[in-house]
Amino acid sequence: MNHTQASSGTTYASSSTGPGIDAAKVAALAEETLDWRFKALPAAAQGLTVREYLAGRPALADLGTPLLTLDAGALDHNLSTMARWCAEAGVALAPHGKTTMAPALWQAQIEAGSHGITLANLPQLRVARAFGVDRIQLANTLLDPAGLGWLAAELDTDPGFAFTSWVDSADSVRLMDHALRAAGARRPVEVLVELGGPAGRTGARTVAEAVQVAEAVLAAPTLHLAGVGGYEGALAHDAGEQALATVRAYLRRLAELHRALTGRYESPRPLVTAGGSAYFDTVVEELKPLDDALVVIRAGAYLAHDDGFYRGISPLARGDGTPLRPALHGWARVVSHPEPDLSLLDAGKRDLPFDEGMPEPQRVRTASGVRSLAGTEARIRQLNDQHAFLVGAGEQAPVGAVVRLGLSHPCTAFDKWTTIPVLDDADSAEPRVVGLVRTYF
Amino acid sequence: MNHTQASSGTTYASSSTGPGIDAAKVAALAEETLDWRFKALPAAAQGLTVREYLAGRPALADLGTPLLTLDAGALDHNLSTMARWCAEAGVALAPHGKTTMAPALWQAQIEAGSHGITLANLPQLRVARAFGVDRIQLANTLLDPAGLGWLAAELDTDPGFAFTSWVDSADSVRLMDHALRAAGARRPVEVLVELGGPAGRTGARTVAEAVQVAEAVLAAPTLHLAGVGGYEGALAHDAGEQALATVRAYLRRLAELHRALTGRYESPRPLVTAGGSAYFDTVVEELKPLDDALVVIRAGAYLAHDDGFYRGISPLARGDGTPLRPALHGWARVVSHPEPDLSLLDAGKRDLPFDEGMPEPQRVRTASGVRSLAGTEARIRQLNDQHAFLVGAGEQAPVGAVVRLGLSHPCTAFDKWTTIPVLDDADSAEPRVVGLVRTYF
């Protein structure tokens, strides 16, 4: 394609400063009026703006159940821990914004030094653009013709918008090129060739196939070959020796693909990207030596972390670094205690994540105070739509008690809440609400 | 308690006409402006009101993916089929509104002759009250003190608001009474004593225990004993002989509880309620003979029905009645076809239900037309957060194709979408959008 044409806009890898986000639009969220539309907020908040409600420094105990909260200290700790880790490793972080879909948290990630924001699909991209995020990696292929038309208009009207997406087949290249031409796109769309692995998710299965995809990109006037990437997390699901070896072998093939394309990229500094929240240490070990490329990792779950899947697999838990802290908690009230070893909580599948393990009962608050459930047999046996089955807590979970739950898998926690209160300290006896995070799913 | 006091407001069972809903507030949803906040809507809808957007009669093909839709004909069919079935059976229907959390669908259910709307928790109750629903059964125990204060204010300021909730222990009665007194409640809260079963969910485990709960209610000045109820669906999960026998035995104990309390109720016509979407035929067989009571079933999933769990278990599928029709469908685009027998779709755990079985690939639309996948080996093997793994479709699901998916479990489908397009006919070659259903989760 035509390099003169490509130079008409900012490229994804071209800037050394962080991306922009429209701070005024994020700040304006504090003026939103709270009402019955927000299940996290009590009737006492009805009619107040977010700012007015927070000015009263509400106590957690004044909020209803079920509830999902974030912990301010844990968020700060995780932001700075991950920023420091990436700086020391010498890689850029474009956190996966799909985890939270919360512009205020994206802003915090950008302020902590992120290189860009990663997203998964067109609706998410539209949310980010509505808040002025101007350096976005779509870790997916966008084939919707109307969506590509919208994207072309965004790129052509905002020369400062740096965008890249993925492509893994010549067929996709053809469909994208066709839709972008039909839309009259003037600025080429930067794409990364995606490498996958056998039994994995998306991505060309071999380096040779991926090179063919790159050649199709080079031949497409509306696309611009900007790098290579993929998602090692689709190839493994634990931190065992076999899983880590699979991840490492994949990353070596990704490096091989990059070397095969060196000299053919249509951008001055190609991008090489991998790294969800589970294996970013191995990603750095294998990809950092590619010093002609900008290496970008895309962890998203690190910010909220968890008390389940990521607690077990995070490189910062497995290695000797500073561990992340769980920022997310569920809170639910015992509404029934019909058998000595069964209490029913008022939170269910519509409130809490359950796809990577059940919530973990951690502490219980009754009229006589807060009591830890650590070291007890308490566990959530099952979730229904609107109920959780707590066993092993016996008389420690009487009717009316409020149980704090550790969670597994931030991605399926955030998407169940439009507003998430931020607590000053989820471990204190009387947590206070110091923020409200708005999500858009 | 004092019967004079109780007469100051409408009771749940007292009226023979249907409940009210504020039609103007439901109609006002058509004036909401569409934008990037609604993931179901394409960029072309940006800035239009719902009414303006629908006036263009958009084609399904103009909407993006992933998408969840409703079918207008199936909704109408299910509404009238269930209304006719209940009328013939001589029972009232208070459909569980938590399934859809959609005021426009509640309105349709009310217009089809429903006795009331059932809900599961306080946030849902606040949504219903915001739309003026005035006969509500909370099929759960409400213990949140602030929530009980809000409820007391709603009852005291609107004498036409008929409300009942459940209680299953003397401890709950004590907590409710305490909170209602503290809130200065003037009108007593009608409650039903909930009977459960061994290894079930909430509900007193024996008739004798339930009678004791009723006695606690009778002694509580702020509560009013209005009937008995429970949820047989918590005791079984299929339509096998053993499951049906368990359900029947439970219902017989519920009838026994009702007979034990006859003469002691604090309302002229007691309520007896059971019946989710799976066993309402057995509920009618066992409870209809209680002719001194208003028998209310609470099915919620019947309206959308499904192509999974409810397709297998609905009494209207098992019996010789008119079967319900699936109204819900997912739509997702093939964004990658990296192996001969694997295609990746752009819909995942955040878009489609997965807790009662995987989505079912039903048809595929490519540039050459629509093709049925019925009778093929096509199936969804797995969902990730934002992807579905389609196997068994081979070259029938090339990159760019759009796949229609049958779904299992409406409750975990609706809650993933704030706006759901209603199609004129999901089976047609070119479906048109004729409505947009707004949900509040």
Side-chain angles (χ1 to χ4, degrees), chain B residues 63-85:
Chain B
L63 276 68
T65 50
L67 192 66
L68 182 78
T69 63
L70 285 160
D71 179 279
L75 288 176
D76 285 347
H77 170 84
N78 296 344
L79 274 173
S80 60
T81 300
M82 193 67 186
R84 196 166 51 241
W85 192 92

Side-chain angles (χ1 to χ4, degrees), chain B residues 3-370:
Chain B
H3 278 243
T4 315
Q5 194 182 12
S7 67
S8 65
T10 307
T11 68
Y12 187 88
S14 66
S15 174
S16 58
T17 63
I21 183 166
D22 188 331
K25 285 199 177 143
V26 178
L29 295 175
E31 305 310 319
E32 190 168 30
T33 300
L34 298 170
D35 61 18
W36 49 267
R37 291 173 301 155
F38 301 102
K39 71 175 181 174
L41 277 301
Q46 175 85 25
L48 300 178
T49 64
V50 170
R51 187 176 42 75
E52 290 165 347
Y53 179 63
L54 292 175
R57 237 182 125 67
L60 172 66
D62 295 335
L63 276 68
T65 50
L67 192 66
L68 182 78
T69 63
L70 285 160
D71 179 279
L75 288 176
D76 285 347
H77 170 84
N78 296 344
L79 274 173
S80 60
T81 300
M82 193 67 186
R84 196 166 51 241
W85 192 92
C86 291
E88 286 169 6
V91 293
L93 173 65
H96 211 317
K98 65 128 188 182
T99 302
T100 70
M101 287 306 293
L105 296 179
W106 296 343
Q107 182 181 37
Q109 291 174 309
I110 288 169
E111 287 170 356
S114 296
H115 173 81
I117 296 292
T118 300
L119 294 168
N121 63 22
L122 177 67
Q124 295 175 2
L125 190 51
R126 288 182 64 210
V127 173
R129 290 300 290 162
F131 285 88
V133 178
D134 66 3
R135 193 180 302 136
I136 298 173
Q137 179 179 166
L138 186 73
N140 212 337
T141 300
L142 177 57
L143 296 180
D144 172 22
L148 285 163
W150 171 85
L151 175 66
E154 287 287 304
L155 287 167
D156 287 341
T157 55
D158 179 2
F161 176 31
F163 173 83
T164 189
S165 70
W166 294 8
V167 68
D168 74 352
S169 73
D171 284 345
S172 298
V173 168
R174 184 177 46 76
L175 290 170
M176 287 183 75
D177 183 52
H178 181 81
L180 289 167
R181 282 177 199 238
R186 294 194 304 277
R187 195 171 143 200
V189 174
E190 288 186 44
V191 292
L192 312 179
V193 171
E194 182 190 1
L195 185 70
R201 199 165 70 190
T202 52
R205 290 307 194 238
T206 66
V207 170
E209 282 171 9
V211 168
Q212 287 179 347
V213 177
E215 282 163 356
V217 171
L218 290 166
T222 59
L223 303 178
H224 181 138
L225 182 63
V228 298
Y231 178 50
E232 77 294 337
L235 301 170
H237 204 69
D238 62 62
E241 202 173 316
Q242 180 63 48
L244 293 175
T246 300
V247 166
R248 194 175 297 278
Y250 164 76
L251 293 164
R252 289 182 178 172
R253 291 193 300 118
L254 185 61
E256 181 191 338
L257 172 62
H258 167 66
R259 284 189 296 266
L261 295 176
T262 298
R264 306 185 72 184
Y265 291 116
E266 296 174 281
S267 63
R269 193 180 184 199
L271 196 75
V272 177
T273 179
S277 294
Y279 307 107
F280 53 77
D281 54 343
T282 311
V283 170
V284 167
E285 286 168 24
E286 294 299 326
L287 301 185
K288 188 64 193 78
L290 305 176
D291 53 16
D292 60 330
L294 175 68
V295 177
V296 175
I297 65 172
R298 306 184 311 273
Y302 79 90
L303 178 57
H305 198 53
D306 74 7
D307 282 305
F309 177 68
Y310 287 106
R311 175 174 64 189
I313 203 166
S314 165
L316 303 184
R318 292 184 279 120
D320 50 9
T322 308
L324 300 170
R325 287 172 48 193
L328 278 173
H329 295 101
W331 305 81
R333 191 175 261 104
V334 178
V335 289
S336 177
H337 182 36
E339 298 180 12
D341 191 34
L342 176 65
S343 293
L344 281 303
L345 311 181
D346 64 355
K349 290 193 249 183
R350 292 168 137 196
D351 309 301
L352 303 175
F354 58 92
D355 59 314
E356 293 282 0
M358 285 289 128
E360 171 187 271
Q362 296 181 330
R363 46 168 64 193
V364 59
R365 186 193 182 106
T366 61
S368 54
V370 177

Side-chain angles (χ1 to χ4, degrees), chain A residues 403-428:
Chain A
V403 178
R404 190 182 89 178
L405 298 158
L407 303 175
S408 181
H409 199 190
C411 296
T412 48
F414 278 94
D415 68 356
K416 294 173 172 62
W417 297 86
T418 51
T419 312
I420 305 173
V422 181
L423 304 179
D424 58 351
D425 180 3
D427 289 337
S428 81

